Amino acid sequence: MPGPEGHLFPRFSQRADSKVPVLANWAVIGIFLVMAFAAIAAGRDFLMPVTMAMLLFFVFTPLRRFAERRGIPDAATAAGITLSILLAVGVIAYAASGPLSRAMSNMPIISAQLEQKFDSVRDSLSDLREAAARIDEAQNTDPGPEEPPAIRIQQEGETTLGTVMHMAPLLMGQVLFTLILLFFLIASGDLLYLKIVQSFDRMRDKRGAYLALRQIEDSLGNYLGAITIINAGLGLAVGLTMWAWGMPGPLLFGIGAFLLNFIPYLGAITGVAISGIVALVVMPGLFWPAMVAASYLGLTSLEGQIITPYFVSRRLQMNTVVVFLGVALWAWLWSVIGMIIAVPVLVVIRVLAEHIPGWEKFGNFLAGDEPPALTDEDEDEARELVEAGAAAEDGPAARAVTAELVATHDATDAP
């Protein structure tokens, strides 16, 4: 029921000459969104490398343009970029292959050590174990003979290895597809930009489309460049820290920290968990493994709370809630690759929102704590309303103070 001051939410407006009900329009939009997400999830094997190639194309286009001004052919620049990426992937894979193969060969020993460590933990929690056994007896369950933890861990390791071996051909195929598409995009020069600009009729619209593409270049390049340098520094710090703790494979920890930190939030959590589990195997007791995990957590917290906000432009910072939801959405759609491209895609969407008429408020919603000012007075009015409501003690007080604020603005705006 609406309150005395009117409806709690604004009505959906409808043009007078429109023959389609507003609710029908929203129903069509909802159906389209559901079908679009289903299509994106179903076409992941094709869309993932295409999206990655397009993002890399925007990142490396300024380099291609820089080389073109110095007389270097676009095809040569494209070949150099793709070969450099392939070489970097190969070097990282080769550096990680040694520690990974040693870890897999020592999997029985690792599983036995974990079994002993968890046995000591279970002994220290014997009261809880007895209570759990009594609950099982009360429920009259028959779980059967418990499988030894060592066997379970070994089987899980074999299953994971088998999954990786099964996914390796598909992953390599997608990497090659991405690099080949990236080569053709860069070698074609400004052809893609020309086709996009040609799709608009008026010269003003053509200029706006071209400037939007250039801003996407700048935003993606600045964001991914800064994040890559920061992640490299984090990987170096984590590797040195693990070496100082005497952890096995500090190089692998450094590479893992560098790669995992491209995944917001979940990458740091995964790194902390892995370092803690490995420390449980190689270190006595529980205190020192906890210290190792805490040191990893401290480095990632320092990076996420201080270094990245300082070096990444305020213009590129995003709403943290939107970033988290975006990462979760793309993880649901495209798994790990989706989590990696989630923030770059949000950066592109935010740039487009600044250039598409009617999307300004959506871009303002994607922005961080200090979003750019809108072209009208909506931002100041919204900030004033929220601050006035936040000062109220409860709901009725917020209703009263905001009603007074609305009445004041209505009286001011009245002729």
Side-chain angles (χ1 to χ4, degrees), residues 243-254:
W243 173 77
W245 281 113
M247 294 283 287
L251 178 61
L252 184 60
F253 275 103

Side-chain angles (χ1 to χ4, degrees), residues 106-261:
N106 294 329
M107 185 59 67
I109 300 175
I110 295 174
S111 61
Q113 292 176 342
L114 283 176
E115 179 187 0
Q116 294 176 359
K117 188 64 63 75
F118 288 132
D119 284 341
S120 62
V121 173
R122 283 196 298 267
D123 291 339
S124 62
L125 300 176
S126 58
D127 294 338
L128 293 178
R129 186 175 57 183
E130 292 177 359
R134 292 173 183 172
I135 293 174
D136 291 338
E137 293 176 359
Q139 293 178 346
N140 295 323
T141 59
D142 185 14
E146 183 179 358
E147 189 177 7
I151 298 178
R152 288 202 307 270
I153 296 173
Q154 186 175 0
Q155 288 180 350
E156 290 175 1
E158 292 174 355
T159 302
T160 303
L161 180 61
T163 303
V164 171
M165 295 300 294
H166 178 73
M167 295 289 294
L170 177 61
L171 181 61
M172 292 302 299
Q174 290 182 341
V175 170
L176 291 177
F177 179 78
T178 301
L179 293 179
I180 293 173
L181 179 58
L182 177 63
F183 171 81
F184 285 121
L185 287 172
I186 297 177
S188 63
D190 290 324
L191 180 61
L192 180 62
Y193 283 23
L194 180 61
K195 296 300 181 182
I196 294 175
V197 172
Q198 285 178 345
S199 63
F200 294 88
D201 296 329
R202 298 188 305 171
M203 188 62 183
R204 182 185 302 273
D205 297 335
K206 295 178 186 292
R207 178 177 180 271
Y210 180 74
L211 293 180
L213 294 173
R214 293 299 296 264
Q215 188 173 344
I216 290 175
E217 287 181 14
D218 297 339
S219 299
L220 277 180
N222 294 335
Y223 174 78
L224 291 179
I227 291 299
T228 301
I229 294 174
I230 291 172
N231 290 353
L234 176 65
L236 178 62
V238 169
L240 292 176
T241 302
M242 296 299 111
W243 173 77
W245 281 113
M247 294 283 287
L251 178 61
L252 184 60
F253 275 103
I255 295 175
F258 169 74
L259 297 177
L260 287 173
N261 210 52

Side-chain angles (χ1 to χ4, degrees), residues 167-362:
M167 295 289 294
L170 177 61
L171 181 61
M172 292 302 299
Q174 290 182 341
V175 170
L176 291 177
F177 179 78
T178 301
L179 293 179
I180 293 173
L181 179 58
L182 177 63
F183 171 81
F184 285 121
L185 287 172
I186 297 177
S188 63
D190 290 324
L191 180 61
L192 180 62
Y193 283 23
L194 180 61
K195 296 300 181 182
I196 294 175
V197 172
Q198 285 178 345
S199 63
F200 294 88
D201 296 329
R202 298 188 305 171
M203 188 62 183
R204 182 185 302 273
D205 297 335
K206 295 178 186 292
R207 178 177 180 271
Y210 180 74
L211 293 180
L213 294 173
R214 293 299 296 264
Q215 188 173 344
I216 290 175
E217 287 181 14
D218 297 339
S219 299
L220 277 180
N222 294 335
Y223 174 78
L224 291 179
I227 291 299
T228 301
I229 294 174
I230 291 172
N231 290 353
L234 176 65
L236 178 62
V238 169
L240 292 176
T241 302
M242 296 299 111
W243 173 77
W245 281 113
M247 294 283 287
L251 178 61
L252 184 60
F253 275 103
I255 295 175
F258 169 74
L259 297 177
L260 287 173
N261 210 52
F262 281 100
I263 304 175
Y265 309 121
L266 298 179
I269 296 174
T270 303
V272 171
I274 292 175
S275 63
I277 292 174
V278 175
L280 280 174
V281 176
V282 300
M283 291 184 173
L286 297 177
F287 175 76
W288 295 112
M291 292 299 296
V292 171
S295 63
Y296 194 113
L297 178 61
L299 290 174
T300 55
S301 300
L302 178 65
E303 174 271 328
Q305 301 298 324
I306 298 178
I307 297 178
T308 296
Y310 181 80
F311 286 99
V312 175
S313 173
R314 175 72 66 177
R315 181 180 179 85
L316 298 177
Q317 294 182 21
M318 308 291 292
N319 187 331
T320 55
V321 176
V322 174
V323 170
F324 181 79
L325 292 177
V327 171
L329 174 63
W330 285 101
W332 173 61
L333 292 173
W334 289 355
S335 186
V336 177
I337 299 298
M339 291 187 287
I340 294 175
I341 70 171
V343 178
V345 169
L346 285 176
V347 171
V348 173
I349 294 175
R350 182 180 173 188
V351 172
L352 292 177
E354 295 177 0
H355 290 81
I356 298 177
W359 283 34
E360 294 87 355
K361 294 176 181 176
F362 179 64

